[in-house]
C-alpha cells in the first residue's frame, strides 16, 4: 500500500517541477508568448527607430518593401535650377522612380517647424503626449507613404520637392540612409527664368531683378548651409551647367554617389516621356515643356543682356553667393566650359526643328485624362439616337476641358504662394544667423571649378574650395 502512495507523491513533485521550469522559460527567455506577459516598455530604448516593413506591388506582381531605413533620394534646390531635368534623367533609369512634385512633403515639414517655434503650440503638444519621437514617427510615415505610393513601385525611390532641402537636416534625421542631390545653377540664369516665365514665389518681386537676386542669394545660402551640415557623404552638389555640358560624366558621378548601377537610359530621358516605368510629366509643372527635349544648351545663357546694367554692375554685392559657388559675378557672358559633341548636336537639331518640339510641348500640357469624354463616348454607344448637335456639344466640352489648363496653372501659382508664406518666417530667422558667418572671399570661375573637380589632390587646398570639390570626392 505504501509503494503506490510513494509513486503518486513523486509524480506530483515531478509535475510541479515541470510547471515551474516551464513558467521560468516563458517568463525570462525568447520562448515567452507576448500575450501572457506584459512587455516592460520602459526597459527598451524609446528613442530607437523601430523598423516597420511595408510593401507595394507592381503590375507584374513584383513586391517592393519600403521603410524609414531605405536609401531614399531627395532632389533639392532653388526653383528653376534644373531639379526637373535631374529627376527626369533619374526617372529614365529602370531602378529609380522619382515622379512629379508632391508639394505636400515640404508643407508638412514646414508645419512641424511652425509648431515647434510656437511656445503655445509646443506646450499643447507636450500636454497631449505628442513627444518628439511620436511626431517624428508620424511625419516620417506620412512622407514615406506619399513617396512610395504616388507613383509606380521601384527598387529605389526618389522625391523631387526642391524646397525640402531647406529642412534637409531634419529629413536626414527621419531617414538616416537618405541622400540629397543639391542642384546649383548660376543665380542670374535662375532669376531670369523665374521672371521671364512668371514663376510666383512669395517674397520675389518679378518686376525687380535686383530684389529677386537678393532673394535668390538668401535661399541658396540657406540650402548651401543645410547641405554642408548634412555632409558630403549625404549631400552632393550638382552644377546644372556641368550636368548639361557633360551629361555622361556627371551622371556617372551621381549614380556612383547614389549606389545605383550605370544605365545608358539616363542620357536619353526624352525617349521615356510618359511611358510605363518611364518619365511621367505633369501638365501643371512649369518645366514639363522643357524636359521633353533631349539634353541641350538652350537655357545656359538666355539671361545674358537681359539684366539691367546697374544690377550687373553691383552683382558681386547683391549676390555674394555667386562667388561662393564658383561663379564669376563679373563675367557677362560667363565661360561655363565646352560641351560634349553630342550635346552640341542635340542643340543644333532642336533649333532646326523648333516647330516640331513646340507642338510636342503643347501635346504634353494637354495630356489630361478626361472622364467626361469617356462618359460621352459610352453614352453615344448606348444611345444611338443622339443627333449631330449633341456630338458637337460633346466636342466643345472636351475643348473646354483642355482650356482649363490656364486656370489650373493659376491655381498652381496660388498654391505656391501659400507654401512660400509658411516658409517666409523661417527664412527671416535664418538670415541673421547666416549673415554672421564668414564667407569665402575668393572668386573662382566655372572653368577653374571643373579643373578642381577633375583633380582630387587639389581639392583640399582651402576650406572654401574643399566643399566645392566634395562632389568629386564622393
Amino acid at each position: 500500500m505504501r509503494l503506490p502512495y510513494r509513486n503518486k507523491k513523486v509524480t506530483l513533485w515531478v509535475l510541479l517541477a515541470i510547471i515551474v521550469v516551464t513558467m521560468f522559460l516563458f517568463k525570462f527567455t525568447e520562448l515567452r508568448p507576448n500575450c501572457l506577459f506584459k512587455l516592460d516598455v520602459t526597459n527598451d530604448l524609446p528613442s530607437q527607430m523601430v523598423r516597420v516593413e511595408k510593401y507595394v506591388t507592381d503590375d507584374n506582381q513584383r513586391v517592393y518593401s519600403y521603410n524609414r531605413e531605405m536609401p531614399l533620394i531627395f532632389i533639392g534646390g532653388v526653383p528653376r535650377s534644373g531639379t526637373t531635368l535631374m529627376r527626369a534623367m533619374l526617372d529614365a533609369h529602370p531602378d529609380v522612380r522619382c515622379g512629379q512634385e508632391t508639394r505636400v512633403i515640404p508643407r508638412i515639414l514646414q508645419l512641424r517647424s511652425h509648431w515647434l517655434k510656437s511656445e503655445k503650440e509646443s506646450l499643447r503638444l507636450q500636454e497631449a503626449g505628442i513627444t518628439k519621437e511620436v511626431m517624428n514617427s508620424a511625419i516620417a510615415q506620412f512622407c514615406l507613404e506619399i513617396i512610395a505610393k504616388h507613383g509606380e513601385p521601384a527598387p529605389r525611390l526618389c522625391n523631387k520637392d526642391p524646397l525640402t532641402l531647406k529642412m534637409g537636416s531634419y529629413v536626414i534625421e527621419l531617414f538616416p540612409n537618405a541622400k540629397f542631390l543639391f542642384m546649383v545653377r548660376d543665380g542670374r540664369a535662375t532669376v531670369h527664368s523665374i521672371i521671364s516665365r512668371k514663376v510666383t514665389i512669395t517674397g520675389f518681386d518679378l518686376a525687380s531683378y535686383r530684389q529677386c537676386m537678393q532673394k535668390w542669394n538668401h535661399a541658396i545660402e540657406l540650402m548651401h548651409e543645410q547641405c554642408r551640415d548634412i555632409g558630403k557623404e549625404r549631400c552632393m552638389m550638382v552644377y546644372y551647367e556641368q550636368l548639361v555640358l557633360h551629361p555622361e560624366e556627371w551622371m556617372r558621378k551621381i549614380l556612383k554617389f547614389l549606389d545605383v548601377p550605370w544605365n545608358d537610359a539616363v542620357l536619353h530621358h526624352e525617349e521615356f516621356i510618359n511611358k510605363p516605368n518611364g518619365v511621367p510629366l505633369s501638365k501643371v509643372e512649369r518645366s514639363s515643356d522643357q524636359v521633353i527635349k533631349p539634353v541641350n544648351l538652350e537655357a545656359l545663357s538666355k539671361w545674358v543682356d537681359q539684366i539691367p546694367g546697374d544690377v550687373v554692375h553691383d552683382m558681386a554685392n547683391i549676390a555674394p553667393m555667386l562667388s561662393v559657388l564658383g561663379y564669376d559675378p563679373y563675367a557677362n557672358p560667363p565661360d561655363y566650359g565646352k560641351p560634349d559633341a553630342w550635346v552640341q548636336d542635340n542643340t543644333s537639331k532642336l533649333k532646326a526643328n523648333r516647330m516640331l518640339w513646340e507642338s510636342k510641348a503643347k501635346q504634353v500640357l494637354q495630356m489630361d485624362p478626361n472622364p467626361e469624354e469617356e462618359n460621352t463616348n459610352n453614352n453615344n454607344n448606348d444611345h444611338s439616337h443622339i443627333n449631330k448637335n449633341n456630338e458637337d456639344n460633346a466636342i466643345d466640352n472636351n475643348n473646354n476641358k483642355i482650356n482649363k489648363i490656364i486656370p489650373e496653372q493659376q491655381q498652381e501659382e496660388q498654391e505656391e504662394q501659400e507654401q512660400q508664406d509658411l516658409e517666409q518666417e523661417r527664412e527671416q530667422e535664418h538670415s541673421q544667423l547666416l549673415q554672421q558667418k564668414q564667407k569665402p572671399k575668393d572668386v573662382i570661375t566655372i572653368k577653374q571649378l571643373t579643373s578642381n573637380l577633375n583633380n582630387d589632390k587639389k581639392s583640399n587646398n582651402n576650406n572654401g574650395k574643399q566643399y566645392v570639390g566634395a562632389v568629386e570626392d564622393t
Side-chain angles (χ1 to χ4, degrees):
M1 294 296 295
R2 296 178 63 86
L3 184 60
Y5 175 76
R6 289 179 178 177
N7 290 339
K8 291 181 179 179
K9 191 174 182 179
V10 171
T11 302
L12 290 174
W13 279 106
V14 170
L15 290 175
L16 180 61
I18 292 174
I19 293 173
V20 171
V21 171
T22 302
M23 294 288 289
F24 177 84
L25 292 175
F26 275 21
K27 178 66 177 177
F28 299 106
T29 69
E30 294 182 355
L31 297 176
R32 69 184 187 276
N34 292 334
C35 58
L36 295 181
F37 301 98
K38 184 178 180 181
L39 182 63
D40 188 4
V41 181
T42 59
N43 292 333
D44 291 341
L45 295 176
S47 60
Q48 185 176 3
M49 184 175 65
V50 179
R51 178 168 180 152
V52 180
E53 291 280 356
K54 292 191 176 183
Y55 304 90
V56 289
T57 57
D58 61 11
D59 296 336
N60 297 322
Q61 301 304 313
R62 288 176 295 190
V63 179
Y64 300 91
S65 64
Y66 62 97
N67 56 74
R68 288 180 62 181
E69 295 180 356
M70 69 185 303
L72 294 172
I73 303 168
F74 290 92
I75 301 174
V78 179
R80 309 302 306 167
S81 295
T83 55
T84 303
L85 175 62
M86 183 74 262
R87 80 91 173 165
M89 298 177 78
L90 288 178
D91 263 330
H93 196 290
D95 293 342
V96 182
R97 193 267 292 153
C98 296
Q100 301 92 330
E101 293 184 19
T102 70
R103 301 182 60 82
V104 296
I105 290 179
R107 290 185 180 184
I108 193 66
L109 297 177
Q110 192 65 42
L111 282 175
R112 174 255 181 192
S113 177
H114 282 280
W115 290 335
L116 296 183
K117 284 192 302 182
S118 171
E119 294 183 2
K120 185 177 181 180
E121 290 297 329
S122 297
L123 181 60
R124 286 180 176 178
L125 293 173
Q126 293 176 5
E127 291 296 320
I130 303 178
T131 62
K132 176 183 177 181
E133 289 75 18
V134 172
M135 181 174 289
N136 287 356
S137 177
I139 293 176
Q141 279 305 124
F142 176 87
C143 295
L144 193 58
E145 288 293 309
I146 295 294
I147 295 173
K149 295 183 178 179
H150 86 102
E152 297 174 338
R156 293 294 300 273
L157 297 179
C158 163
N159 168 257
K160 196 275 284 190
D161 284 305
L163 299 177
T164 301
L165 183 54
K166 287 187 174 182
M167 296 140 290
S169 299
Y170 179 62
V171 172
I172 295 298
E173 182 179 346
L174 296 181
F175 306 105
N177 295 321
K179 291 184 177 181
F180 269 94
L181 295 176
F182 176 22
M183 294 302 300
V184 177
R185 186 183 184 186
D186 191 325
R188 295 163 291 190
T190 299
V191 166
H192 174 68
S193 180
I194 291 173
I195 293 177
S196 62
R197 295 178 71 90
K198 299 180 179 179
V199 179
T200 56
I201 304 176
T202 298
F204 281 69
D205 181 6
L206 301 186
S208 173
Y209 270 92
R210 180 181 294 270
Q211 192 265 4
C212 285
M213 285 301 306
Q214 292 172 340
K215 288 294 183 180
W216 171 86
N217 188 82
H218 172 76
I220 199 71
E221 188 174 18
L222 177 60
M223 293 183 180
H224 186 262
E225 186 72 18
Q226 283 287 300
C227 191
R228 180 151 44 191
D229 291 343
I230 294 171
K232 64 181 182 181
E233 295 82 11
R234 288 282 178 265
C235 184
M236 176 180 181
M237 292 176 63
V238 180
Y239 285 83
Y240 168 78
E241 293 83 9
Q242 299 307 309
L243 177 64
V244 169
L245 292 171
H246 314 291
E248 181 173 351
E249 175 188 349
W250 277 85
M251 285 307 298
R252 287 189 180 275
K253 294 178 183 179
I254 291 168
L255 294 184
K256 182 179 179 181
F257 171 75
L258 299 175
D259 296 319
V260 175
W262 173 256
N263 192 295
D264 287 337
V266 299
L267 302 179
H268 308 284
H269 69 278
E270 73 281 359
E271 298 177 4
F272 303 93
I273 297 296
N274 287 331
K275 292 184 178 180
N277 297 316
V279 184
L281 294 183
S282 168
K283 64 181 180 59
V284 296
E285 286 188 23
R286 297 304 182 89
S287 300
S288 294
D289 61 331
Q290 293 176 306
V291 295
I292 66 169
K293 305 173 185 178
V295 179
N296 63 87
L297 309 172
E298 286 187 334
L300 278 185
S301 300
K302 282 186 176 181
W303 61 270
V304 177
D305 297 329
Q306 302 298 319
I307 302 177
D310 63 311
V311 179
V312 173
H313 183 268
D314 297 337
M315 189 62 69
N317 295 325
I318 296 174
M321 283 301 295
L322 285 172
S323 300
V324 175
L325 297 173
Y327 297 98
D328 186 352
Y330 303 104
N332 293 282
D335 183 6
Y336 296 123
K338 185 178 180 180
D340 294 341
W342 66 276
V343 178
Q344 185 66 60
D345 186 55
N346 284 346
T347 306
S348 300
K349 290 180 180 179
L350 286 176
K351 293 180 179 179
N353 300 278
R354 187 173 301 277
M355 296 299 296
L356 174 63
W357 287 103
E358 289 179 357
S359 176
K360 288 185 177 181
K362 292 179 181 179
Q363 292 177 4
V364 169
L365 293 178
Q366 295 177 0
M367 288 184 65
D368 184 27
N370 189 355
E372 294 179 7
E373 182 179 358
E374 295 179 2
N375 293 337
T376 302
N377 292 334
N378 293 334
N379 194 39
N380 288 337
N381 293 332
D382 296 337
H383 304 282
S384 59
H385 63 277
I386 295 180
N387 56 28
K388 184 66 167 58
N389 291 334
N390 289 337
E391 293 178 357
D392 293 339
N393 290 336
I395 295 175
D396 292 339
N397 289 336
N398 293 338
N399 292 334
N400 291 335
K401 185 70 177 180
I402 293 176
N403 290 335
K404 290 182 179 179
I405 294 174
I406 295 178
E408 287 178 356
Q409 290 180 344
Q410 294 175 350
Q411 182 180 0
E412 175 81 2
E413 295 177 358
Q414 183 178 359
E415 291 178 354
E416 290 178 356
Q417 190 80 11
E418 294 175 357
Q419 179 178 355
Q420 294 296 330
D421 286 338
L422 292 176
E423 299 165 358
Q424 191 71 11
E425 295 182 7
R426 188 169 184 267
E427 291 182 356
Q428 293 175 353
E429 291 182 358
H430 279 270
S431 61
Q432 296 180 350
L433 295 176
L434 293 174
Q435 289 174 359
Q436 295 175 357
K437 296 185 177 181
Q438 184 177 1
K439 304 182 182 68
K441 296 182 180 179
D442 53 329
V443 177
I444 56 176
T445 64
I446 288 296
K447 294 186 70 176
Q448 292 172 334
L449 173 65
T450 306
S451 63
N452 287 339
L453 291 176
N454 292 330
N455 190 347
D456 292 338
K457 295 180 180 181
K458 295 182 180 180
S459 62
N460 294 322
N461 287 343
N462 55 61
N463 293 334
K465 294 182 181 178
Q466 181 179 0
Y467 182 65
V468 176
V471 180
E472 181 68 21
D473 294 339
T474 56

